[in-house]
Amino acid sequence: MNIKLQGIDLLGNLGLKSTQDRLNRQAERDNKIAFFEQQKENLKNMKADTIDEIARKLDMFHGYEDQIAAARMEYNHSQMFHVFDEAQELAEKIAEAAEKNEPKTPEERRDDMIEEATGVENEGLLDELMDNLTEAIEESTEEMVEELQETSEEVLSEDELNQMMLLEEEQIERLEQEKNVPENYIPFDYRI
């Protein structure tokens, strides 16, 4: 159960940052005023026998009064800016909430329904299939290269092995080129 009291709930959450700043400024103002009030009280205990001492005591008293008034004026001045900051911060929070609650376009709703129904994002399906295909090609070429190396070392010389490696690399390049060609592609340049 949260009980709020002017932007402060009793569980320690101060709400808006600007509200917390305002409370800090109030506490600072109250501390300054309490300090100068205490100084005024100390003046009562101070003895003044001569006119100069009484004049000095009065000057100190008026100085403390001026400091108290300055602290209150400073707080009031900062409070004007606080109202603006708080309004701006509240407007930002309202804008964020409005953006979250903004109605979706028909295309966005359709895309969301498709994602929910399939459990897979549309963009990721094709990429996943292409990744699986390239992994399978790489694995099969690595296996073929290893097998050829094993058999070629036994049977073939170094020159023949290099030629076989070149042929293998050409086959890999052709497979990669064929992978990029669409399935229903029909070449139109025939020799006559």
Side-chain angles (χ1 to χ4, degrees):
M1 178 171 131
N2 288 346
I3 300 172
K4 289 199 171 194
L5 191 73
Q6 292 183 349
I8 306 170
D9 68 28
L10 297 179
L11 299 177
N13 186 5
L14 296 175
L16 297 176
K17 184 179 182 298
S18 59
T19 304
Q20 185 177 7
D21 291 343
R22 178 179 52 103
L23 293 174
N24 290 339
R25 286 193 306 273
Q26 281 178 346
E28 183 180 335
R29 178 205 58 193
D30 292 342
N31 289 339
K32 284 181 184 179
I33 290 174
F35 173 76
F36 290 118
E37 289 290 337
Q38 182 62 39
Q39 292 294 7
K40 282 177 22 182
E41 287 295 320
N42 291 342
L43 283 178
K44 291 179 182 177
N45 298 333
M46 197 170 130
K47 290 186 178 182
D49 294 331
T50 65
I51 294 179
D52 291 334
E53 290 177 356
I54 294 173
R56 189 171 149 267
K57 192 174 175 182
L58 276 173
D59 286 340
M60 290 174 67
F61 178 78
H62 291 299
Y64 295 147
E65 286 291 324
D66 292 342
Q67 292 291 337
I68 291 171
R72 287 183 176 148
M73 188 180 300
E74 179 185 350
Y75 173 74
N76 289 340
H77 183 67
S78 65
Q79 190 64 16
M80 287 188 301
F81 290 109
H82 163 73
V83 170
F84 174 72
D85 291 342
E86 195 171 50
Q88 186 176 6
E89 199 172 328
L90 191 58
E92 289 172 0
K93 285 190 174 192
I94 290 171
E96 288 175 11
E99 188 174 309
K100 287 179 184 176
N101 293 331
E102 188 174 286
K104 293 185 178 184
T105 63
E107 293 83 19
E108 290 174 336
R109 285 193 297 260
R110 182 179 47 83
D111 292 343
D112 287 346
M113 288 173 35
I114 291 172
E115 286 177 14
E116 288 177 14
T118 60
V120 179
E121 293 182 13
N122 291 337
E123 302 148 358
L125 186 59
L126 184 58
D127 291 337
E128 187 177 328
L129 291 174
M130 290 302 291
D131 290 341
N132 290 342
L133 180 62
T134 55
E135 287 176 12
I137 290 173
E138 288 174 1
E139 288 176 6
S140 64
T141 54
E142 286 175 8
E143 290 174 3
M144 289 174 29
V145 167
E146 289 174 6
E147 289 176 7
L148 283 174
Q149 285 177 345
E150 290 174 2
T151 56
S152 64
E153 288 174 358
E154 297 170 0
V155 178
L156 303 175
S157 67
E158 280 187 35
D159 293 333
E160 294 173 340
L161 180 63
N162 288 336
Q163 289 177 355
M164 289 297 286
M165 292 297 283
L166 288 173
L167 287 174
E168 189 66 34
E169 289 176 4
E170 289 174 6
Q171 287 178 348
I172 291 172
E173 288 177 12
R174 264 189 268 125
L175 282 174
E176 288 180 0
Q177 288 175 353
E178 290 175 5
K179 178 180 77 172
N180 293 333
V181 175
E183 291 179 21
N184 31 347
Y185 174 74
I186 301 172
F188 61 88
D189 53 338
Y190 293 106
R191 289 193 172 181
I192 298 176

